[in-house]
Amino acid sequence: MAEEAAQRLALPAGLLELCALLGASREGLRRPEQVAQRKEVRSLSSLDPEVLSVFVPPFVSQEDSHVAGASCGHLSKAHRLSFRKKREKPWAEPRKGLPVAPRGTDFADVSIPNGVDLLALPQLCFPGGVCVASEPKEDCVHFLVLTDVCGNRTYGVVAQYYRPLHDECCFYNGSVHREMLQPPPGVVGGFVPFAVCVVSRSPYYSALKDCLSCLLTHLKFCKDFEVDNHIRDFAAKLSLIPSPPPGPLHLIFNMKPLQIVFPSRADPESPIIDLDLHLPLLCLSAEKVLQVLTCLLTEQRVVFFSCSWALLTLVAECFMVYLHPLQWQHTFVPILSRQMLDFVMAPTSFLMGCHLDHFEEVSKEADGLIMINIDNGSISCSSDDDIGIPDIPLTAAQTFIQRVQSLQLHHELDLAHLCASTDPNSGRARRRAWQQRLNGQIQQITLQLLVSILREVKNHLNYEHRVFNSEEFLKTRAPGDQPFYKQVLGTYMFHSFLKARLSRRMDAFAQADLNMQAEEDRINGIPISPRRPTTEKTVSRKPSPLQVAHRRMVVSMPNLQGITVPDLLPRNLSLREVDTVEYGGGTVDPSVTRQATYTFRIPEVHFPLVSQCVQAYYADCISLLSKAMSFLAPDNSVLLARYFYLRGLIRLMEGQLLEALLDFQSLYKTDISIFPADLVRRTVGSLSAPQRAQAEQKPELRRLISEVTDKPGEAPKADDRVKNFELPKTHMRLDDFVKRVQESGIVKDARTINRLFEALTVGQQKQIDPETFREFYNCWKEAEAEAQEVSLPSSVTEHLDKNECVYKLSSSVKTNRGVGKIALTQKRLFLLTEGRPGYVEISTFRNIEEVRSTTVAFLLLRIPTLKIKVASKKETFEANLKTECDLWHLLVKEMWAGRKLADDHKDPQYVQQALTHVLLMDAVVGTLQSPGAIYAASKLSYFDKMKNETPMAVPKTTSETLKHRINPSAGETAPRAVDVLLYTPGHLDPAERAGDAHPKLWCALSQGKVAVFDASSWTAHQHCIKVGASKLNCMVMVERNQVWAGSEDSVIYIISTHSMSCNKQLTDHRSSVTGLAVRDRTRAPSEVYSCSADGMVLVWNVRTLRVTSRLQLPSGRLSSLRLHSGHLWCCTSDSIVVVTTDGLLHQELKLNENFKEQSTSFLSFQLLPEQEQLWVARAGCEDICVWSLRDLAQPPTRIRLQDCSAVSCLIRVKRQIWVGGTGLSQGKSKGKIYVIDAERKTVEKELVAHLDAVKTLCSAEDRYVLSGSGSEEGKVAIWKVE
């Protein structure tokens, strides 16, 4: 029995956790002192409520419990019963089959769900007390939020209704009593309130309110002794309804007379929205809503007040949704009864709700409360002292107000042009659709508010070391906004937000931030350092002198405390009176709609509720789900995954464990984001020995079981702490210095930081003291502040590109073209003339021919002068820079060299890196301020030294063929090897945005990272998609909307090209997946062939994601495969095998029969059917072998590749074979590409491609070839095909 109990599986709860009937005790109603005098019933003091009955699932009769238990195969929930409070002298026994509690049963005898306190529940269900009424009152509903000691929340919906006090028989605890409860003398009649409370794990406020409304229609017309039965049947129905999985599938249940809709959450991270999110906007002005949000973001002690108990919870919950994905982590009690008012004395942050009658009492008793009167829309403080609630950032506030004002908040206006609905359910459906649209718009507005407030936090994060530089973030805020941010940065909510950002969680905030990126950010794609305001932004930004003074002061002194600085002009504290200014996105885009939703109708539950009826209900559910799946379109994997989830859940409840696991295995392949891993693990653990053996015999279950059970113990939790950046206090050697600089956000590249270390330690011991680091840090930040202050007039900006940034300004100097300041951008030098600011072009870096530092005689002095010779101008530019001359000489030469390298190598990253060197040199000179400062800074003049010491002339053929280079590793601390490249052509798809229809380049980097570029502009489309943690070996596009990636961890990951996320995994391989090939068929679903290193070939049906065939090759390591003429060509280490799709051997080319070299192996191959040729590359060899397909037994033709040391890959492009590998160029080992004419078998071109080996090649529509390099360089080159 102990073993059997250990194997029991606790099923996930349905919608219902608990249902209770509550009211005044019978003894309390009989006490004469609690009965009012004549015609004064309304002034009665409250009676004490108590729990009368409790109903907890499962609801199966005792006589069938053994049968049900046997049929479930050790499946059951924790043992629960329906419960009645103990009673005296029952007049009649309940009908047979109902669970009966033995005499003396009390609450403790029943398993009550966690988080439900039966002692507090009566007070919450009757927060205003139980009062006998002289006339019947209208039924009413209110809502509860119950929190357990672990912070887990359950949600309650309470419906109160009145019954006559003088009925012939009065119902209490399921029994009928002979004695009548007569009203007190002189009282004509009375009505006593009862409450039905439904507790659920999910906040289904509207749905459960509708359910209870349907229940009350039955309770009003039934006999008192039948009430318990009706409530039990009602609870039983709800307990059998499963919670819908995240996604677009909602559940519908017929509660008669209403159709009840249970909406799902949008995704696993989103909350369930089953309430009207516009309620706060009806009760409070947009300005007041902002003030409430400010109080919540700064974690104040907040109390809502209203005469409506229902509004208290609904409005509070709306604000919780407004904060998403931020989460309120403090006490949350939206309803306090009179007995709980002392809770507001708590010293910590909280959000609570009280009846408006207690407003004065709470205001007097507690200090420091933010008191929000929902009924009249006012906000006040409970004490005379100002709490100091800061204003929300002004720009964000104004944009929010404009967007809220554009909303249509009244459904009646939407119905004005429509005919009246004669079907109540049709009208409700129309109202629900309108509410969903409005809810989506409100969520969009509040999310955009949060993004506009917090989006720039990411610019001050160091992901590698999990550091947030709070001081620098605060200095970038407007002075009037700093009080707000200072309070927000210290909250638990913000700390959790930082954890999510540093973990690169792609939640609603991250997705909205990505969608709201400015155009220049999308062009840059990957975070660029150092970052400066563009010309376009400087035109629109005109800081006041006061702002400039403030910024200069705080940036130049980053570590001093208690500095008093001049503030801006006083901000208008009344948000009602702010001027309406036009901002981008000031209105809600009406085209922005929520994802299309679908519904699944839950079948009827038949009574009496015995085991056979429950089993019939499960069977109906499974039948309807299977039928719905059969009618699905083949490519509708979103709905298919939800059906698999629900069917697996129902089968678990029915006791069909193996069938449930099969559904969960299909779900794992279809959408892993909603895969219930813990439930599956517990299900596998509950299998009996025969069931486990049977499961192991099914190949599709064997891997699932190993996935959830064979893994070692849970890995230790990663350190998710967030560190605040602090300047070092001890001396630093190189490793510590690299870490500190990366934490500061100045530079990430470790090699650049190494050169900086050499510059700062010239002539000293190889360590840096804290004072030097502090000075360097301050110099860098002051330069940033100066760049922020640059304000260029339109007469200057019209000569510049809109994305140009001014990185460096000289002091005012005399030049041969006037007096002014020399400005350096990433593209040019120009003179910003004094007096009336004007623009004088000096030169673009591309046109510079010579840069010299010399002296010019002036009277008896020699003035240091910088001379720049420009190709297009005869006159040499001269500037008397005096003490700045040597520094500017270094800066200009480095930018000139970077521009030259960028042009030669078609790689704009050289310019960006040169800018980093320039700014570091400037900071080094400002730090050292010694005669040797220029020499020290020259250690960072890396590109200029490359140009002078080792001229890197790019061969003419390489330069003519090379079109562009991109860097997928930009923003990383070190380059990553490009393991696989895949080009996917663009196509118009209604499911995609216009920008997403462009062709894409997919770059597989190390550790399962995939960077995606827009191949129409070669700009980053999405920086990183995470697919596992292992190296990817192959990628292929499948049916235009999927990318399949084979990994070293033996998993095939499926990436959706629409959502750019990976929610599907195929886990049938036992070894690393090395090759993928697609077989497109017009009249049947496509097939994908995958191979793994152990020689296994699997054939996949793309639409069902099921294996349709398996082939096992006996040869050695299988590295790739291709489909040709109905045959499968497989490359192994020692042979190339040709088999039919049924696995029959057709041909075989063995390595040892053609080559005597023992150390070599087959690496890759290409088929040329037109020439009937097979081209093969071997590992470690410098030649390519070509066989005739007519007779593979004939010796191959060898094509020697000059200066090649090893071949790594080859592809076919038109009538050419492109071979990538490693070879010598100018005496150094480089990544090289050989272009071979397939007909003449001669090398047409020899391209010097990369600094490291060429790891992979791919073709882009036979117009371009893309090559990826190893980890020494980590770049992708784009080559023109002729």
Side-chain angles (χ1 to χ4, degrees):
M1 291 298 293
E3 181 181 356
E4 181 180 356
Q7 290 182 342
R8 287 183 179 273
L9 173 64
L11 289 175
L15 292 178
L16 180 80
E17 285 282 304
L18 175 147
C19 186
L21 175 66
L22 305 98
S25 66
R26 180 166 163 270
E27 292 77 9
L29 283 176
R30 287 192 307 186
R31 289 200 296 266
E33 65 269 18
Q34 291 192 350
V35 179
Q37 298 300 320
R38 180 177 306 188
K39 298 183 181 180
E40 295 181 356
V41 177
R42 294 182 181 178
S43 63
L44 278 172
S45 60
S46 296
L47 305 176
D48 292 331
E50 63 180 32
V51 177
L52 303 177
S53 299
V54 176
F55 306 90
V56 182
F59 300 91
V60 180
S61 63
Q62 287 182 335
E63 62 184 11
D64 291 323
S65 60
H66 299 293
V67 178
S71 66
C72 288
H74 301 301
L75 268 176
S76 69
K77 294 194 177 185
H79 185 58
R80 293 178 180 178
L81 299 170
S82 295
F83 160 79
R84 296 189 189 90
K85 191 174 181 295
K86 62 183 178 181
R87 61 189 182 276
E88 298 176 358
K89 301 180 181 179
W91 179 61
E93 291 294 329
R95 60 185 175 86
K96 183 179 179 181
L98 295 178
V100 180
R103 185 177 299 273
T105 299
D106 206 346
F107 295 152
D109 299 329
V110 182
S111 176
I112 302 300
N114 292 333
V116 180
D117 182 359
L118 290 185
L119 297 178
L121 190 61
Q123 297 178 21
L124 294 172
C125 291
F126 292 97
V130 177
C131 296
V132 178
S134 61
E135 56 186 26
K137 291 187 177 181
E138 196 170 357
D139 302 338
C140 60
V141 176
H142 67 275
F143 311 94
L144 307 176
V145 179
L146 311 174
T147 309
D148 64 16
V149 292
C150 298
N152 302 310
R153 293 175 184 169
T154 51
Y155 304 89
V157 181
V158 182
Q160 289 186 13
Y161 68 101
Y162 285 77
R163 294 185 65 86
L165 187 62
H166 59 282
D167 277 1
E168 295 180 358
C169 303
C170 188
F171 159 78
Y172 276 98
N173 310 316
S175 62
V176 182
H177 295 264
R178 295 177 180 273
E179 49 191 311
M180 295 192 305
L181 288 177
Q182 298 294 338
V187 177
V188 176
F191 294 86
V192 61
F194 290 89
V196 180
C197 176
V198 174
V199 179
S200 174
R201 285 287 173 190
S202 303
Y204 284 116
Y205 295 121
S206 297
L208 293 178
K209 170 185 173 181
D210 292 343
C211 290
L212 285 170
S213 300
C214 295
L215 172 65
L216 294 190
T217 61
H218 298 289
L219 295 185
K220 286 181 178 180
F221 299 104
C222 70
K223 299 294 184 180
D224 280 347
F225 62 87
E226 296 175 337
V227 170
D228 236 9
N229 296 336
H230 279 290
I231 297 177
R232 182 186 298 104
D233 291 347
F234 167 81
K237 286 183 181 181
L238 291 182
S239 69
L240 293 175
I241 301 176
S243 296
L249 184 63
H250 300 178
L251 300 184
I252 293 183
F253 187 73
N254 185 10
M255 190 59 77
K256 293 181 181 178
L258 299 181
Q259 303 290 328
I260 311 299
V261 176
F262 294 96
S264 61
R265 61 184 81 236
D267 57 71
E269 300 295 327
S270 296
I272 292 174
I273 308 297
D274 189 35
L275 72 169
D276 300 343
L277 291 183
H278 68 293
L279 287 178
L281 302 177
L282 296 176
C283 301
L284 305 170
S285 66
E287 295 84 358
K288 296 299 182 184
V289 169
L290 283 174
Q291 292 179 19
V292 175
L293 286 173
T294 301
C295 294
L296 297 178
L297 289 171
T298 55
E299 295 184 350
Q300 304 294 326
R301 299 159 67 217
V302 180
V303 183
F304 285 105
F305 291 88
S306 175
C307 290
S308 168
W309 295 108
L311 275 182
L312 288 173
T313 300
L314 293 178
V315 170
E317 281 283 20
C318 285
F319 278 104
M320 295 298 100
V321 176
Y322 291 176
L323 290 175
H324 178 75
L326 278 64
Q327 292 184 341
W328 180 262
Q329 301 181 24
H330 299 278
T331 303
F332 182 63
V333 186
I335 285 184
L336 292 176
S337 66
R338 177 183 294 275
Q339 296 84 350
M340 300 177 178
L341 288 182
D342 57 343
F343 285 15
V344 299
M345 305 295 291
T348 58
S349 303
F350 56 73
L351 193 158
M352 298 183 185
C354 298
H355 197 276
L356 191 59
D357 292 344
H358 308 309
F359 187 91
E360 295 299 330
E361 180 182 353
V362 171
S363 178
K364 293 177 182 178
E365 294 297 330
D367 292 333
L369 301 182
I370 304 298
M371 306 176 68
I372 303 164
N373 188 332
I374 297 174
D375 295 349
N376 65 14
S378 65
I379 300 177
S380 58
C381 178
S382 64
S383 59
D384 295 332
D385 298 333
D386 185 12
I387 298 179
I389 304 302
D391 290 329
I392 212 160
L394 184 60
T395 302
Q398 291 175 318
T399 305
F400 175 84
I401 292 170
Q402 286 187 330
R403 288 171 174 165
V404 168
Q405 290 173 346
S406 70
L407 291 174
Q408 175 54 268
L409 299 179
H410 301 283
H411 184 47
E412 292 76 8
L413 297 177
D414 197 52
L415 294 178
H417 67 289
L418 298 176
C419 295
S421 175
T422 57
D423 179 6
N425 282 317
S426 173
R428 283 163 47 81
R430 184 183 298 166
R431 172 68 167 76
R432 187 165 51 248
W434 174 85
Q435 189 64 57
Q436 286 181 350
R437 288 194 301 272
L438 181 59
N439 283 355
Q441 293 173 340
I442 293 173
Q443 285 181 276
Q444 176 197 0
I445 291 173
T446 54
L447 182 58
Q448 288 173 345
L449 173 70
L450 293 176
V451 172
S452 62
I453 293 172
L454 299 174
R455 67 181 309 176
E456 293 188 26
V457 166
K458 64 178 180 291
N459 298 334
H460 301 270
L461 296 177
N462 177 266
Y463 295 91
E464 291 74 23
H465 304 291
R466 300 187 66 83
V467 172
F468 172 56
N469 196 332
S470 59
E471 286 189 5
E472 292 305 322
F473 172 73
L474 283 174
K475 291 165 190 171
T476 62
R477 304 301 89 202
D481 295 337
Q482 289 194 7
F484 170 82
Y485 284 104
K486 286 179 180 178
Q487 291 196 33
V488 170
L489 264 56
T491 62
Y492 288 100
M493 191 186 306
F494 182 76
H495 188 71
S496 297
F497 170 80
L498 283 181
K499 287 184 178 181
R501 304 285 72 76
L502 288 169
S503 301
R504 298 184 185 273
R505 184 182 301 167
M506 186 51 68
D507 55 12
F509 182 95
Q511 193 61 54
D513 186 20
L514 190 65
N515 295 337
M516 291 171 63
Q517 277 184 350
E519 184 63 26
E520 67 268 17
D521 294 329
R522 288 189 178 275
I523 292 174
N524 293 334
I526 296 171
I528 289 178
S529 180
R531 205 179 267 275
R532 295 292 187 270
T534 62
T535 300
E536 188 177 35
K537 288 184 177 179
T538 57
V539 171
S540 60
R541 177 173 50 83
K542 300 291 183 182
S544 67
L546 206 53
Q547 285 177 290
V548 172
H550 171 82
R551 185 177 291 122
R552 288 297 298 273
M553 184 175 294
V554 295
V555 172
S556 62
M557 297 179 289
N559 298 284
L560 302 181
Q561 301 296 323
I563 302 174
T564 57
V565 295
D567 203 349
L568 292 176
L569 296 174
R571 288 180 57 185
N572 191 342
L573 300 181
S574 174
L575 292 177
R576 289 181 181 274
E577 301 174 12
V578 293
D579 295 331
T580 55
V581 184
E582 290 297 327
Y583 292 96
T587 60
V588 180
D589 185 358
S591 65
V592 177
T593 56
R594 293 174 64 87
Q595 181 184 14
T597 57
Y598 308 88
T599 57
F600 175 74
R601 188 175 297 276
I602 300 293
E604 294 282 346
V605 180
H606 302 287
F607 290 91
L609 196 65
V610 292
S611 177
Q612 292 83 351
C613 293
V614 174
Q615 294 298 321
Y617 164 78
Y618 292 151
D620 289 344
C621 284
I622 292 172
S623 175
L624 289 174
L625 286 167
S626 301
K627 184 177 180 180
M629 293 164 71
S630 67
F631 285 112
L632 273 183
D635 58 345
N636 196 343
S637 61
V638 174
L639 268 185
L640 183 64
R642 275 71 196 169
Y643 289 147
F644 277 133
Y645 181 100
L646 286 173
R647 195 171 70 177
L649 204 59
I650 297 296
R651 281 176 166 167
L652 275 186
M653 298 169 70
E654 191 181 21
Q656 300 179 14
L657 271 66
L658 296 184
E659 290 78 2
L661 289 176
L662 286 172
D663 278 333
F664 289 135
Q665 166 65 10
S666 300
L667 170 64
Y668 189 83
K669 295 179 180 179
T670 311
D671 191 346
I672 196 173
S673 67
I674 62 171
F675 177 73
D678 183 64
L679 176 62
V680 173
R681 187 178 299 110
R682 290 188 284 112
T683 303
V684 172
S686 71
L687 293 175
S688 63
Q691 287 174 325
R692 181 65 177 264
Q694 187 178 354
E696 292 286 354
Q697 294 175 0
K698 296 178 181 290
E700 57 269 32
L701 288 185
R702 192 182 309 122
R703 181 59 185 265
L704 180 68
I705 293 175
S706 65
E707 280 289 317
V708 299
T709 61
D710 295 349
K711 290 183 178 179
E714 291 188 11
K717 186 177 180 180
D719 184 9
D720 64 349
R721 291 177 299 174
V722 179
K723 295 179 286 186
N724 196 32
F725 175 72
E726 295 180 354
L727 292 174
K729 299 177 181 178
T730 59
H731 287 65
M732 293 159 285
R733 296 194 179 275
L734 177 59
D735 291 344
D736 193 25
F737 179 74
V738 170
K739 177 183 175 182
R740 293 287 188 169
V741 173
Q742 289 174 342
E743 287 180 354
S744 71
I746 295 175
V747 186
K748 284 189 176 183
D749 181 62
R751 290 176 293 190
T752 302
I753 302 175
N754 287 343
R755 293 191 284 269
L756 174 62
F757 183 81
E758 290 295 323
L760 291 174
T761 57
V762 167
Q764 303 175 17
Q765 191 177 7
K766 293 304 178 182
Q767 62 179 9
I768 293 177
D769 59 86
E771 290 74 20
T772 300
F773 190 97
R774 178 188 294 268
E775 287 298 325
F776 168 76
Y777 181 83
N778 288 346
C779 288
W780 178 272
K781 292 302 176 181
E782 286 178 359
E784 278 189 346
E786 290 174 359
Q788 294 285 342
E789 294 163 16
V790 173
S791 181
L792 302 176
S794 58
S795 59
V796 174
T797 56
E798 65 186 13
H799 297 279
L800 305 177
D801 296 340
K802 68 177 184 179
N803 62 339
E804 272 191 88
C805 311
V806 174
Y807 285 85
K808 173 72 176 170
L809 272 177
S810 73
S811 57
S812 183
V813 297
K814 180 181 179 182
T815 73
N816 60 346
R817 297 184 190 173
V819 177
K821 297 180 179 180
I822 298 175
L824 180 149
T825 74
Q826 67 265 47
K827 186 177 181 178
R828 74 187 83 221
L829 294 168
F830 68 90
L831 184 67
L832 189 62
T833 59
E834 285 194 343
R836 187 173 183 179
Y839 173 89
V840 176
E841 175 86 21
I842 298 175
S843 177
T844 60
F845 293 113
R846 181 180 281 117
N847 291 334
I848 291 178
E849 286 188 344
E850 184 184 13
V851 180
R852 288 187 298 125
S853 177
T854 183
T855 58
V856 175
F858 179 75
L859 300 177
L860 299 177
L861 302 175
R862 303 293 297 181
I863 301 176
T865 302
L866 181 70
K867 294 186 177 183
I868 302 175
K869 186 176 181 182
V870 184
S872 59
K873 299 177 181 178
K874 294 182 180 180
E875 183 183 9
T876 299
F877 173 78
E878 297 183 9
N880 299 332
L881 283 162
K882 301 177 183 177
T883 57
E884 295 180 87
C885 186
D886 291 337
L887 174 60
W888 274 88
H889 182 232
L890 280 178
L891 304 185
V892 175
K893 285 200 302 179
E894 182 68 5
M895 289 299 300
W896 178 29
R899 181 74 264 176
K900 181 73 167 58
L901 289 171
D903 291 342
D904 291 347
H905 294 271
K906 313 292 178 64
D907 186 357
Q909 283 285 316
Y910 280 108
V911 174
Q912 185 63 37
Q913 196 167 347
L915 279 169
T916 301
H917 295 162
V918 162
L919 296 178
L920 289 175
M921 286 190 281
D922 185 32
V924 166
V925 171
T927 300
L928 299 181
Q929 294 183 351
S930 64
I934 296 297
Y935 174 73
S938 68
K939 297 290 184 180
L940 288 157
S941 188
Y942 182 65
F943 292 151
D944 185 48
K945 289 178 183 176
M946 287 175 57
K947 184 168 68 76
N948 295 329
E949 296 175 2
T950 56
M952 299 178 63
V954 179
K956 182 179 179 182
T957 304
T958 300
S959 180
E960 291 175 347
T961 310
L962 180 63
K963 298 297 293 180
H964 191 61
R965 288 184 195 269
I966 55 179
N967 184 10
S969 300
E972 302 283 349
T973 57
R976 294 177 180 268
V978 182
D979 296 318
V980 188
L981 290 172
L982 172 68
Y983 172 85
T984 56
H987 61 278
L988 294 177
D989 190 321
E992 291 187 308
R993 296 175 299 184
D996 293 338
H998 293 164
K1000 299 181 182 71
L1001 174 64
W1002 306 72
C1003 308
L1005 310 178
S1006 58
Q1007 297 178 343
K1009 292 187 176 181
V1010 179
V1012 186
F1013 288 82
D1014 185 335
S1016 63
S1017 59
W1018 303 119
T1019 57
H1021 178 83
Q1022 186 155 331
H1023 179 43
C1024 180
I1025 301 173
K1026 188 70 171 165
V1027 285
S1030 302
K1031 175 178 175 288
L1032 297 180
N1033 295 321
C1034 50
M1035 292 193 296
V1036 69
M1037 185 179 189
V1038 179
E1039 292 191 344
R1040 290 191 172 187
N1041 59 0
Q1042 297 177 355
V1043 169
W1044 290 31
S1047 173
E1048 279 287 323
D1049 62 10
S1050 75
V1051 177
I1052 298 174
Y1053 297 93
I1054 301 179
I1055 304 172
S1056 167
T1057 59
H1058 294 164
S1059 65
M1060 302 302 288
S1061 61
C1062 176
N1063 289 330
K1064 302 178 183 179
Q1065 298 181 14
L1066 307 179
T1067 58
D1068 292 57
H1069 280 289
R1070 289 290 185 268
S1071 185
S1072 59
V1073 181
T1074 54
L1076 294 165
V1078 182
R1079 181 183 183 185
D1080 293 319
R1081 299 187 294 181
T1082 56
R1083 296 186 178 181
S1086 299
E1087 290 182 334
V1088 175
Y1089 289 74
S1090 63
C1091 66
S1092 52
D1094 58 0
M1096 175 63 72
V1097 178
L1098 301 181
V1099 185
W1100 301 88
N1101 182 302
V1102 171
R1103 295 180 181 175
T1104 64
L1105 298 180
R1106 294 188 180 276
V1107 176
T1108 59
S1109 180
R1110 297 172 182 265
L1111 311 175
Q1112 179 64 57
L1113 300 183
S1115 305
R1117 178 180 173 85
L1118 181 55
S1119 59
S1120 62
L1121 81 166
R1122 296 183 185 279
L1123 284 165
H1124 173 60
S1125 299
H1127 290 82
L1128 201 59
W1129 292 67
C1130 304
C1131 179
T1132 69
S1133 58
D1134 54 8
S1135 65
I1136 294 178
V1137 182
V1138 185
V1139 298
T1140 66
T1141 54
D1142 296 326
L1144 300 177
L1145 181 64
H1146 181 69
Q1147 281 180 293
E1148 185 174 12
L1149 176 64
K1150 294 187 177 181
L1151 180 69
N1152 54 14
E1153 294 178 357
N1154 294 273
F1155 305 100
K1156 296 182 180 179
E1157 299 95 327
Q1158 298 297 320
S1159 60
T1160 189
S1161 61
F1162 284 136
L1163 183 67
S1164 182
F1165 71 94
Q1166 285 290 330
L1167 291 166
L1168 275 69
E1170 298 84 358
Q1171 285 82 25
E1172 296 185 324
Q1173 294 174 355
L1174 171 66
W1175 292 62
V1176 180
R1178 296 174 298 146
C1181 295
E1182 66 277 3
D1183 59 9
I1184 297 294
C1185 299
V1186 185
W1187 276 271
S1188 171
L1189 292 179
R1190 297 174 183 174
D1191 188 3
L1192 294 179
Q1194 293 295 321
T1197 301
R1198 296 196 180 191
I1199 303 174
R1200 180 174 176 79
L1201 307 177
Q1202 186 177 1
D1203 295 329
C1204 179
S1205 55
V1207 173
S1208 56
C1209 53
L1210 77 163
I1211 62 168
R1212 175 195 176 182
V1213 185
K1214 295 182 178 178
R1215 297 180 179 273
Q1216 299 173 338
I1217 297 292
W1218 288 56
V1219 182
T1222 308
L1224 293 177
S1225 176
Q1226 299 178 356
K1228 294 185 177 181
S1229 180
K1230 298 289 181 65
K1232 300 185 74 174
I1233 296 175
Y1234 298 87
V1235 183
I1236 305 173
D1237 186 292
E1239 294 180 350
R1240 296 197 296 264
K1241 299 184 180 65
T1242 58
V1243 177
E1244 289 186 334
K1245 294 181 180 179
E1246 182 178 330
L1247 308 175
V1248 181
H1250 298 280
L1251 297 177
D1252 201 353
V1254 177
K1255 301 271 290 181
T1256 180
L1257 294 168
C1258 84
S1259 171
E1261 301 176 357
D1262 285 348
R1263 297 170 54 203
Y1264 299 100
V1265 169
L1266 302 107
S1267 61
S1269 68
S1271 59
E1272 182 66 24
E1273 181 190 87
K1275 294 184 179 181
V1276 174
I1278 298 112
W1279 308 88
K1280 178 176 63 177
V1281 176
E1282 296 177 350

